[in-house]
Each structure stands twice: as structure tokens, then as C-alpha cells.
Amino acid sequence: MTDTASAPIRWGILATGGIAAAFASDLLLHGHTVTAVASRTAESAERFAREHGIGRAHASYEALYADPEVDVIYVATPHPWHARNAVAALDAGKHVLVEKPIALTGAEAAAIADAARRNGRFAMEAMWTRFLPHMRRIADIVQGGELGRVTSVVADHTQDLPRDPSHRLVSKELGGGALLDLGIYPISFANQLLGAPVAVAAAGVLNSEGTDSQVGTSTVHADGAMASTFSSAISAGATRAAVHGEQGRIEIDQVWYSPTSFRWFGADGALREHFTSEVTGRGMQYQAAHVEEQLRAGSLDSPILPLAESVQIMELLDEVRALIGVDYDA
């Protein structure tokens, strides 16, 4: 592997779907180094490489794991393959950034964390929202005590997504459902600001495939804080969020989990700050820059999204699925 203290850190892209294309485009737009891509077929890998100007195209994932010109692999396969792909890459000596959700279950997420520790490699979940400028500013306000004690977080994530039973967003075999694709955003956001919940309630509506088309959660956190989230894969809504504290509130505009604006009001209702994002591309480059910063610093875990928190969030999603009746093994 390259000397990450000085030379460019070289990315490999595992899989060639839409999210992989968005990630590669943002990296290349912002001067990051992408040296290789892998797919299960040579045709798909070569097409992706041509479209993005990537020099090396591998017709198997194993070839990417073994590529000496790759330092860190972005895992962008469907949910059920995240853990096996991430563990294989870590065992091959690569660092990994794993598309959210980091795995299908809490146990799989823990297996990734174990592999990272065992191999002395960096691993992180690609919850890109946490690294966006407006979300970093919100975290600074909350962590700095500017809102006083935070009492609640409210967020929704609603989209009108494909309903074909064979589509990965619906199929039980492919880890479909609103919770893992959409609900993880507001749940992770609440977890970031409030910590792990001490009590969880959830309700959901399942489709004919046995995955959730809509899901709502209500959680209680330390000091009596609460969070309410709603996610739907069958209707597009406002997709806004708010953070309430004893000394003020933050209202995040549409679409709250992507580059957007927010307004911070004091307890008296006066506007204290109006933050507007100025981001080129989709915004996925910020998480990549964070990974590179950590590697250059010799860190094997992220201070913004530690592996232990990703494991805890997946265990929380396990609990929510059990409450609403989604069982991927059934």
C-alpha cells in the first residue's frame, strides 16, 4: 500500500451501480485519486472505467482486493453483500468505506468492526450526510451547548421509489424496505445528536414482499430527550428536520440530509443564523476527504462516525425491524 502520509490515497470502487457512479464522480470532480473499479463482469467494469476515466477495470471483486494500486475500497454492493465484501477487503489489507447501511444486521456490522481491528485497518460507514457542511455546523452548535439541553429531534425521509417486487428497494432477498434505505438517515441523525436510545417504539406497513414500505419510530434518549422519525418509499414528502433545545431550535430545509440550508433560532424566537450550503457535486466528497484525513493521521476509526456507533445503529434497526415484523431470514 502507498505511504498515506505523503502520496495520494488511491481509491477502488467495488460495484458499478448508481451510488458508485455518484461517489466516483464527486471524488474525481474534487481531485481525489480513483485508480480502479470492479464488477462481477468485465463488461460492466470496463464501461464504468470508460465513463469515469479510471485506469484499471477488474472483472471480479477478488481482483480489486488484490490490486496493489488500491489503498481504500468503497463498497457499493447491495445491502446483503456489504459485510462479506468489507470483511474480504479488510482481510486483504485494504481500508474500507462501506455504503450505508454498513451491513444488513447488527451482527454483520460487528463482523466488519472485528475485521478492521484484526487487520489494523480503517473502516467507516458511508453515511455521507454527517460530513456535509451544514450538518457539521449543526453538530458544532449542538455540541457547543448553544441550544441548551436538546429535548427532541424530528425528521422524515420520504420518496416515491420503484415498487417492482424484484427491485432491490423492495426485494427481501436484496435487503429492501424503507428502513434500511431511507429510515437510516433520520435515525442516524437522531442518534448522532442524542446518543443511543433507552426505549424504542415503532410501527410499519409491509408490502407484498414482506419488507416495509413505510415506517415510523419514536425513541427516548438520555435526559428525557425524544426523537420522532418517519420514512416512506411510496410517497414523496417535505423531507425536513428540526432540532429543539431549551435555548432554541434549528429548522433544516428540504432536503435536510443533502446540501441545503438551515435556520437557527434563539429561545426568544429571534433568528441567530441562516446557513446556506455552497457545495459542488452531490456532496459525497466530504466523507472521502474525512477518510483520507484519518488515514494520513494514522487513525483507524472516525471521530465523527465511529464503528461502534454504526454497530449500535444497526442493532437499533434490528430492533425496529423486529417490532414491525420484517424478517430477512423468513
Side-chain angles (χ1 to χ4, degrees):
M1 297 181 70
T2 190
D3 177 6
T4 55
S6 56
I9 292 171
R10 303 165 299 181
W11 288 84
I13 310 294
L14 190 95
T16 55
I19 196 67
F23 182 76
S25 295
D26 273 357
L27 261 62
L28 293 166
L29 178 64
H30 293 90
H32 298 272
T33 301
V34 181
T35 56
V37 61
S39 181
R40 289 174 294 181
T41 67
E43 179 183 12
S44 180
E46 290 167 1
R47 173 192 53 78
F48 192 98
R50 285 194 305 272
E51 290 175 354
H52 296 278
I54 298 170
R56 300 158 77 88
H58 296 300
S60 73
Y61 298 157
E62 291 73 19
L64 184 64
Y65 303 147
D67 190 335
E69 300 298 316
V70 170
D71 303 305
V72 54
I73 291 176
Y74 171 64
V75 176
T77 47
H79 306 337
W81 286 272
H82 285 184
R84 73 182 73 171
N85 296 146
V87 169
L90 290 162
D91 284 345
K94 307 301 185 186
H95 306 289
V96 296
L97 175 65
V98 188
E99 182 52 40
K100 56 83 197 149
I102 193 169
L104 194 65
T105 66
E108 288 185 355
I112 295 173
D114 289 343
R117 284 190 292 267
R118 182 173 68 247
N119 292 289
R121 292 293 180 263
F122 182 93
M124 190 182 84
E125 181 180 22
M127 176 49 72
W128 64 293
T129 294
R130 284 207 186 188
F131 303 89
L132 293 172
H134 75 290
M135 298 301 282
R136 297 309 309 139
R137 177 61 184 140
I138 290 169
D140 287 344
I141 293 169
V142 172
Q143 292 165 7
E146 300 285 357
L147 294 184
R149 185 178 73 89
V150 176
T151 59
S152 64
V153 172
V154 179
D156 75 291
H157 187 175
T158 53
Q159 296 189 42
D160 187 3
L161 298 177
R163 304 183 195 185
D164 181 346
S166 65
H167 197 283
R168 73 161 192 87
L169 294 167
V170 178
S171 167
K172 182 181 288 189
E173 182 179 315
L174 296 177
L179 181 66
L180 290 189
D181 262 280
L182 308 180
I184 188 171
Y185 282 92
I187 288 173
S188 181
F189 180 47
N191 204 86
Q192 177 188 11
L193 299 185
L194 304 178
V198 297
V200 181
V205 176
L206 307 191
N207 54 40
S208 61
E209 302 306 302
T211 58
D212 52 299
S213 58
Q214 301 196 100
V215 59
T217 69
S218 180
T219 53
V220 180
H221 301 254
D223 298 326
M226 294 189 69
S228 176
T229 79
F230 174 71
S231 297
S232 173
I234 59 174
S235 59
T239 313
R240 295 190 176 97
V243 183
H244 306 109
E246 292 182 332
Q247 300 300 319
R249 73 184 189 276
I250 294 172
E251 298 177 358
I252 315 175
D253 297 320
Q254 191 180 43
V255 172
W256 70 266
Y257 63 84
S258 64
T260 187
S261 55
F262 72 80
R263 285 154 293 143
W264 166 22
F265 298 92
D268 60 357
L271 180 65
R272 296 192 59 180
E273 181 178 345
H274 186 184
F275 183 102
T276 301
S277 296
E278 295 182 3
V279 174
T280 55
R282 189 168 186 253
M284 301 186 79
Q285 69 273 15
Y286 293 99
Q287 61 183 348
H290 177 74
V291 171
E292 294 185 10
E293 289 168 4
Q294 297 308 302
L295 293 179
R296 294 193 190 285
S299 171
L300 297 182
D301 203 4
S302 166
I304 295 176
L305 183 52
L307 269 176
E309 185 179 356
S310 290
V311 173
Q312 177 257 306
I313 289 171
M314 289 311 305
E315 291 172 345
L316 171 58
L317 298 188
D318 288 346
E319 186 174 356
V320 172
R321 286 203 317 277
L323 289 169
I324 66 176
V326 175
D327 184 355
Y328 290 121
D329 294 326

